[in-house]
Amino acid sequence: MDYEILKLIWWVLVGVLLIGFAITDGYDLGTANLLPFMSKTDSERRIMVNAIAPHWDGNQVWLITAGGAMFAAWPLVYATAFSGFYWAMILVLFALLIRPMALDYRSKIDDPRWRAACDWGLFASGVVPSLVFGVAFGNLFQGYGFDLDNLMRSSFTGTFFGLLNPFALLCGVVSLAMLNMQGAAWQALRAGSPIQERAAKTARLFAVVTIVTFALAGVWVANIPGFEITSVIDPNAASNPLAKTVAMVESGRWLANYSKYPWMLIAPVLGFAGALGVVLLAKTRFHALTFISSSITQAGVIMTAGFSLFPFILPSSSHPEVSLTVWDATSSYMTLAIMTFVAAVFVPIVLGYTIWCFYKMWGRVTAEHVSENSHSLY
């Protein structure tokens, strides 16, 4: 198998892992975001929590696996991103650490104040990653301020607050809206009345917000400068980010791939069509189709970002020539070849296990179910 093909395979696999995270852990994050607002009593909050608590940890494995795949397949990207955005990563890490503590200890003390504190902890554990992930993707289109020396050591010139620019914040709102839609669609599927009715209305609301903000982000990204490789690239050559030239070009660069590869238009179409499907289906009894439509939106939005950026993975706004791309930021041929063999064996197993878990936990969580399991952790 050519080195070029291996590089493309791992670009696709990292994207698949991110999509898997958005679909599965997305409804956990969305539920946490909506928990203080979509429930009125402690019993209703327990219903919402019990709809996600038994399997949230398995869903988060998608994010851990994506980080591991990035470390092995794109070591330069991993090193640059995780060192340059240290404080943003720490913020997400601490937010995610709150979730297991709030879930496992929520019902340990029968005190309304304690449970309220846990519920707001869950809210923080959901809204912070939801926003930060979107802001991170938004900054990719504008480039990060970093440089590489001759030993491939990165130096970051940006600041945490510099990441909070208007376009990146808009992308954060897109992320927050689509994950809230995912969480609401999951609650409409899994929770009994009256949570189900509220969740259906909430899913429709955030589907509309997703459509509007996704469209605004598309218009905005069409009018900001982009990056373009101006030298000849050998996709089969050894990775070397310093062996190319990159130029900042005027608006429209990030849409060029859709003219060059028209089939990529399927990504934004799926993003809009999935959200529109939620608007139309959420008011019906077809809650499984509503959740599937919401999941299609998660895939479509992430694919749109990946297709627009290709072949760039981590552009540099301060030194465009050291921008990291699919062709020059990957591991060696042997590393990718071994990893591809391992992925060919285990990815189908993971997907099969995920589908089996969805099948096993099919069924509604109701107030009666919660009362019958009053001594459960949740």
Side-chain angles (χ1 to χ4, degrees), residues 12-352:
V12 171
L13 283 177
V14 171
V16 168
L17 292 171
L18 292 176
I19 290 171
F21 170 72
I23 291 175
T24 56
D25 203 50
Y27 63 73
D28 296 333
L29 295 174
T31 295
N33 296 340
L34 299 172
L35 183 63
F37 311 106
M38 210 167 69
S39 55
K40 298 181 179 180
T41 66
D42 182 67
S43 178
E44 291 178 358
R45 285 187 283 276
R46 290 196 69 193
I47 290 173
M48 292 184 65
V49 168
N50 273 272
I52 64 167
H55 43 75
W56 70 266
D57 47 354
N59 294 338
Q60 194 164 288
V61 169
W62 287 91
L63 178 62
I64 298 171
T65 307
M70 187 179 297
F71 171 77
W74 300 340
L76 279 176
V77 176
Y78 182 92
T80 303
F82 279 69
S83 60
F85 316 130
Y86 180 80
W87 291 112
M89 297 294 180
I90 287 293
L91 183 63
V92 171
L93 178 62
F94 275 96
L96 292 176
L97 284 174
I98 296 174
R99 179 162 56 177
M101 293 187 290
L103 287 174
D104 289 344
Y105 291 97
R106 185 183 186 278
S107 292
K108 296 294 185 182
I109 302 176
D110 189 9
D111 184 337
R113 294 172 299 178
W114 170 258
R115 293 189 176 185
C118 289
D119 293 339
W120 284 107
L122 283 173
F123 170 76
S125 74
V127 73
V128 170
S130 299
L131 280 172
V132 171
F133 292 148
V135 168
F137 267 96
N139 277 283
L140 287 177
F141 288 95
Q142 301 170 99
Y144 292 100
F146 71 90
D147 192 14
L148 295 175
D149 62 17
N150 291 332
L151 298 177
M152 299 301 169
R153 294 176 299 188
S154 62
S155 56
F156 189 76
T157 59
T159 63
F160 173 77
F161 291 103
L163 303 178
L164 306 179
N165 54 78
F167 175 71
L169 290 174
L170 174 61
C171 292
V173 175
V174 174
S175 174
L176 184 63
M178 73 182 199
L179 293 177
N180 284 355
M181 175 182 66
Q182 186 78 347
W186 179 255
Q187 290 295 324
L189 175 64
R190 293 276 284 129
S193 183
I195 295 295
Q196 184 183 73
E197 291 75 14
R198 293 181 206 147
K201 293 179 181 179
T202 304
R204 294 183 67 195
L205 170 63
F206 281 106
V208 173
V209 175
T210 299
I211 291 172
V212 173
T213 54
F214 188 38
L216 287 175
V219 173
W220 198 327
V221 81
N223 291 279
I224 61 176
F227 297 80
E228 184 175 2
I229 298 175
T230 56
S231 59
V232 177
I233 292 289
D234 181 4
N236 285 298
S239 294
N240 182 8
L242 306 180
K244 68 177 182 303
T245 57
V246 177
M248 292 281 291
V249 297
E250 294 302 319
S251 59
R253 165 61 189 89
W254 293 128
L255 301 183
N257 282 339
Y258 298 105
S259 298
K260 189 176 181 180
Y261 310 105
W263 59 268
M264 287 186 174
L265 287 169
I266 190 64
V269 169
L270 288 176
F272 285 114
L276 182 60
V278 172
V279 173
L280 298 175
L281 292 168
K283 58 182 178 181
T284 70
R285 291 181 173 273
F286 301 112
H287 299 299
L289 290 178
T290 302
F291 179 72
I292 291 173
S293 293
S294 178
S295 299
I296 289 173
T297 297
Q298 314 301 312
V301 171
I302 293 175
M303 288 167 59
T304 299
F307 289 166
S308 299
L309 288 166
F310 183 84
F312 289 94
I313 303 173
L314 193 65
S316 171
S317 56
S318 58
H319 299 82
E321 67 280 359
V322 304
S323 297
L324 304 178
T325 73
V326 173
W327 310 125
D328 57 23
T330 59
S331 295
S332 67
Y333 176 89
M334 182 62 69
T335 299
L336 294 186
I338 295 173
M339 289 171 55
T340 302
F341 173 77
V342 174
V345 175
F346 286 101
V347 170
I349 295 175
V350 172
L351 290 175

